[in-house]
Amino acid sequence: MARVELPESRLRLRKRRRRVRLTIVFALGMLLLLSGALGLTYLPALQISAVQVSGAQTVSSSTVEVFVRARLMGSYAYILPKTNIFLYPKRSIARALVAAYPQFASVDVHAVDFHTIAVAIVEREPRALWCSDNCYLMDENGVVYGEAPVFSVPVYTAYQGTTTGERLPKQFLAPGEFLPLSALVDAIAQKIPGEHLQAVEVDAQSDVQMHFVGGFIVRFALRDEGGDVFERFTLALQSAPFKDKPLSGFEYLDLRFGDKLYYKEK
């Protein structure tokens, strides 16, 4: 049987070959483009060579710099360098610093120029102590973040109660509860300067007990408005028998029941 190749078949063959050639050219072009882009990520002018640290107080700037440089080593998928100013892992660096140093309240990492990044740190300020077996520093938001030094004289008010979290930083009370509580505790303590506050305990029922050195205890509910509690306490001091007898002569004053005040004398 004889075979005749029609002109249309030769035309389709030429088109197929042309498509193959175009595909190869396109693939080579994309490969060259990607290679060029990859090469740009390794340009010395775009590599991070300096790390500026500010705001660190309890940790040396050099320690923070070493920490950051360790996280700039290596590459993404063994291809893209982490030292490139446009590709460096700034968010993961900030998260890692906060996790490694609980005393850091916040960390901001940003580029200064094409070869320098800045690490701006805000450290927590101690507002009180949280004590269990040992005492730890606690900031104004109730975040327990670091072991406290031994003070020769009392510097901060000591609080006791449960915290959330297995390791530092831990949270004492719900966020937003500690600051108004500490303000109320300070106001009550300043109202009776002759009595020295020893510790403040918050139990599982959210009842607060202020323990004074002389044995006197002030009780109130955490859920009550601070202004109302302070007003009840002030009125109690102005009423019999408190106005005629020192507080050291009482075991406790209970402010948890609205206008009804309960107390016990020694």
Side-chain angles (χ1 to χ4, degrees), residues 48-54 56 59-74 76 81-85 87-98 100-101 104 106-111 115-121:
I48 297 170
S49 59
V51 178
Q52 298 176 353
V53 180
S54 63
V59 180
S60 68
S61 296
S62 60
T63 299
V64 175
E65 181 179 349
V66 169
F67 185 96
V68 172
R69 287 188 180 279
R71 278 145 187 82
L72 293 174
M73 296 176 63
Y76 300 103
K82 291 184 178 181
T83 52
N84 183 277
I85 195 66
L87 302 175
Y88 74 98
K90 64 178 181 179
R91 289 188 178 87
S92 65
I93 289 174
R95 287 195 298 266
L97 279 169
V98 171
Y101 300 99
F104 292 174
S106 65
V107 176
D108 175 65
V109 182
H110 60 274
H115 57 81
T116 305
I117 61 172
V119 181
I121 297 168

Side-chain angles (χ1 to χ4, degrees), residues 181-229:
L181 171 62
S182 62
L184 175 59
V185 166
D186 290 346
I188 291 176
Q190 291 170 7
K191 191 71 176 178
I192 46 176
E195 300 290 333
H196 298 288
L197 184 61
Q198 185 176 34
V200 179
E201 178 186 357
V202 182
D203 63 22
Q205 288 72 43
S206 294
D207 288 332
V208 182
Q209 295 192 94
M210 296 177 60
H211 296 266
F212 291 85
V213 173
F216 177 60
I217 299 174
V218 176
R219 295 172 180 160
F220 58 88
L222 182 63
R223 65 179 179 274
D224 289 346
E225 289 291 334
D228 294 340
V229 174

Side-chain angles (χ1 to χ4, degrees), residues 3 15 24 28 47 56 69 83 86 109-110 122 129 135 158 163-164 169 186 214 259:
R3 177 182 176 184
K15 288 183 177 179
I24 294 174
L28 289 174
Q47 303 307 304
R69 287 188 180 279
T83 52
F86 296 111
V109 182
H110 60 274
V122 177
L129 300 179
C135 287
T163 58
T164 57
D186 290 346
D259 294 334

